[in-house]
Amino acid sequence: MAPRNKEQEQEVLNWVFAVIGEKVPSGQYEDILKDGIWLCKLANKLAPGSVKKIQERGTNFQLMENIQRFQAAVKKYGVPEEEIFQTADLFERRNIPQVTLSLYALGRITQKHPEFTGPTLGPKMADKNERSFTEEQLRAHEGELNLQMGFNKGASQAGHGGMGNTRHM
């Protein structure tokens, strides 16, 4: 398990609440996020209506459902499943660094959504770097490959017998 990084956790909280449009509450990172309420509100800001029901209070099971609704919403939003934390990672504090990584992944994915104009989290994603070559450039390269391949014509492993046919006098 990766060690916790308090700076990243603070950056995540600042981003979550900047997107939601509220002040970061006081308290521990995992305690603020634990019940999934803020995460559901975040998901609804990124993709309105993506979390239909948010349990504001209730049993542990009902609060864990918030986390599961958030996970489903961000998966649909485009976060790869392998980058989404498990419910127990947050609710039972099993792997808080994974929660942070998941939220960074979500922050990264927002950049693929032109309709989202809010704050960003983490490094900017690279834009597609398409290259186009002329037919002439491609043909010239083919010629180079053929020359390289022809250079070894006639070379073989013949005469490279193993230890068996070497004589030592």
Side-chain angles (χ1 to χ4, degrees):
M1 189 178 348
R4 290 183 62 171
N5 180 324
K6 295 290 184 189
E7 281 173 23
Q8 286 180 338
E9 290 176 5
Q10 192 58 54
E11 190 180 0
V12 165
L13 282 180
N14 292 344
W15 176 73
V16 168
F17 287 92
V19 171
I20 294 171
E22 299 213 20
K23 196 171 136 306
V24 178
S26 59
Q28 291 292 315
Y29 175 75
E30 62 273 27
D31 294 333
I32 294 168
L33 299 176
K34 180 184 175 179
D35 59 17
I37 294 168
W38 293 116
L39 295 176
C40 289
K41 289 180 178 184
L42 172 66
N44 280 337
K45 281 285 186 184
L46 297 175
S50 59
V51 177
K52 305 271 184 273
K53 181 181 180 193
I54 302 174
Q55 288 287 146
E56 296 282 345
R57 63 182 80 61
T59 64
N60 281 352
F61 181 77
Q62 289 169 316
L63 296 174
M64 280 192 277
E65 283 182 333
N66 285 338
I67 297 171
Q68 290 158 356
R69 289 183 186 115
F70 167 78
Q71 291 161 328
V74 297
K75 182 179 175 193
K76 194 172 171 189
Y77 191 71
V79 178
E81 192 163 2
E82 63 275 9
E83 291 191 63
I84 300 172
F85 66 90
Q86 301 294 309
T87 304
D89 291 343
L90 175 57
F91 202 80
E92 298 172 14
R93 297 176 172 82
R94 285 198 188 157
N95 192 350
I96 297 300
Q98 186 58 48
V99 175
T100 304
L101 289 174
S102 295
L103 290 166
Y104 268 102
L106 176 59
R108 186 183 75 235
I109 297 297
T110 61
Q111 297 174 41
K112 289 186 169 183
H113 289 265
E115 75 281 3
F116 178 73
T117 56
T120 57
L121 175 67
K124 185 179 181 322
M125 287 179 77
D127 294 323
K128 214 163 41 173
N129 189 359
E130 284 189 38
R131 295 170 178 83
S132 52
F133 296 101
T134 64
E135 201 54 44
E136 196 177 324
Q137 287 170 315
L138 292 170
R139 269 201 298 277
H141 186 65
E142 269 177 29
E144 286 172 30
L145 282 175
N146 290 337
L147 279 173
Q148 288 170 1
M149 287 165 57
F151 191 72
N152 289 331
K153 246 191 199 110
S156 74
Q157 296 296 313
H160 282 281
M163 293 296 284
N165 71 355
T166 55
R167 285 199 189 141
H168 297 287
M169 303 238 169

